[in-house]
Amino acid sequence: MPSFFSTDLIVRYMVILFAYAWGGLEIFQQIKQRKTQRNTSPSSDRGSLILLYVGITLGYCLAIPTSFSPFGRLTWGQPIWQVTGLALIVGGLWIRYSAMRTLASLFTYEVEIQAEHQLVETGLYRWVRHPGYLGQLLVFLGIGLALANWISLLGLALPIGVAFVHRISVEERALQQHFAGAYDVYRRRSWRLIPWVY
């Protein structure tokens, strides 16, 4: 039985603290954006942001308590799982915030087409249509691996994965309606989420 101060438990506590802090930061940024942004464009979100928050909340509720259970523990190969998880968190954050910087004022938490919206095809958007979501998914995968429990990983991945698939389809529909042929050309030469895979 590992002690309270074992490396495994310390990493787990740090990852859980990070997960909630990162979620809080994203919510704070969304609230701040809503207060400061003068947006007259109709939302195309179709409830996808709420579904995403529900998926993340459900994922955390399933993954975090389960990570303290002896069932599903990834004891073999340690500390590889936790180190890989931490690396994915760092890489995912870099991808997420790089995508946000590329979009600049076009970045919104809700799916919406702004008055002077442009189709962004620079930076990571040259290859991937949704690099911000790719970054977030890598962070969640990293959290799941760093918790070192495959049941936690599944509990995190399933509801969040379903929510992201829905959100991506909503966003692509909105972009397709607005940019029509130009978006079709962009879709044909880029990957939706993972280069050479999807």
Side-chain angles (χ1 to χ4, degrees), residues 73-188:
R73 295 291 309 145
L74 294 172
T75 52
W76 57 273
Q78 281 295 33
I80 290 173
W81 298 114
Q82 288 184 322
V83 170
T84 303
L86 295 174
L88 285 171
I89 289 170
V90 171
L93 287 173
W94 181 85
I95 291 170
R96 166 80 171 155
Y97 291 108
S98 175
M100 288 169 70
R101 279 194 305 275
T102 301
L103 287 178
S105 63
L106 294 176
F107 172 80
T108 57
Y109 281 89
E110 288 192 30
V111 176
E112 57 190 28
I113 303 297
Q114 299 177 33
E116 297 178 6
H117 210 102
Q118 298 173 351
L119 186 59
V120 176
E121 301 179 54
T122 58
L124 296 173
Y125 288 89
R126 269 179 284 182
W127 304 286
V128 179
R129 297 195 295 278
H130 305 281
Y133 299 150
L134 171 61
Q136 283 183 296
L137 286 167
L138 286 175
V139 171
F140 289 123
L141 177 61
I143 290 169
L145 284 174
L147 291 175
N149 186 302
W150 68 267
I151 299 173
S152 291
L153 181 59
L154 281 178
L156 198 61
L158 290 177
I160 292 174
V162 167
F164 268 108
V165 166
H166 174 69
R167 181 157 175 94
I168 287 169
S169 70
V170 167
E171 189 167 313
E172 293 221 323
R173 197 176 309 133
L175 291 167
Q176 169 69 37
Q177 287 173 354
H178 187 75
F179 293 109
Y183 195 71
D184 285 334
V185 172
Y186 175 50
R187 272 195 342 189
R188 282 195 293 271

Side-chain angles (χ1 to χ4, degrees), residues 13-108:
Y13 288 130
M14 287 174 57
V15 166
I16 291 166
L17 181 63
F18 160 78
Y20 284 113
W22 179 51
L25 176 64
E26 290 277 346
I27 291 168
F28 171 76
Q29 288 176 327
Q30 184 206 352
I31 292 167
K32 183 179 171 187
Q33 182 184 73
R34 190 178 290 169
K35 285 182 178 178
T36 58
Q37 198 176 45
R38 291 182 211 159
N39 184 27
T40 55
S41 306
S43 174
S44 303
D45 195 75
R46 298 175 184 251
S48 69
L49 183 62
I50 292 171
L51 179 64
L52 190 58
Y53 284 158
V54 168
I56 292 167
T57 302
L58 181 58
Y60 279 8
C61 289
L62 292 170
I64 291 171
T66 307
S67 72
F68 292 96
S69 166
F71 301 106
R73 295 291 309 145
L74 294 172
T75 52
W76 57 273
Q78 281 295 33
I80 290 173
W81 298 114
Q82 288 184 322
V83 170
T84 303
L86 295 174
L88 285 171
I89 289 170
V90 171
L93 287 173
W94 181 85
I95 291 170
R96 166 80 171 155
Y97 291 108
S98 175
M100 288 169 70
R101 279 194 305 275
T102 301
L103 287 178
S105 63
L106 294 176
F107 172 80
T108 57

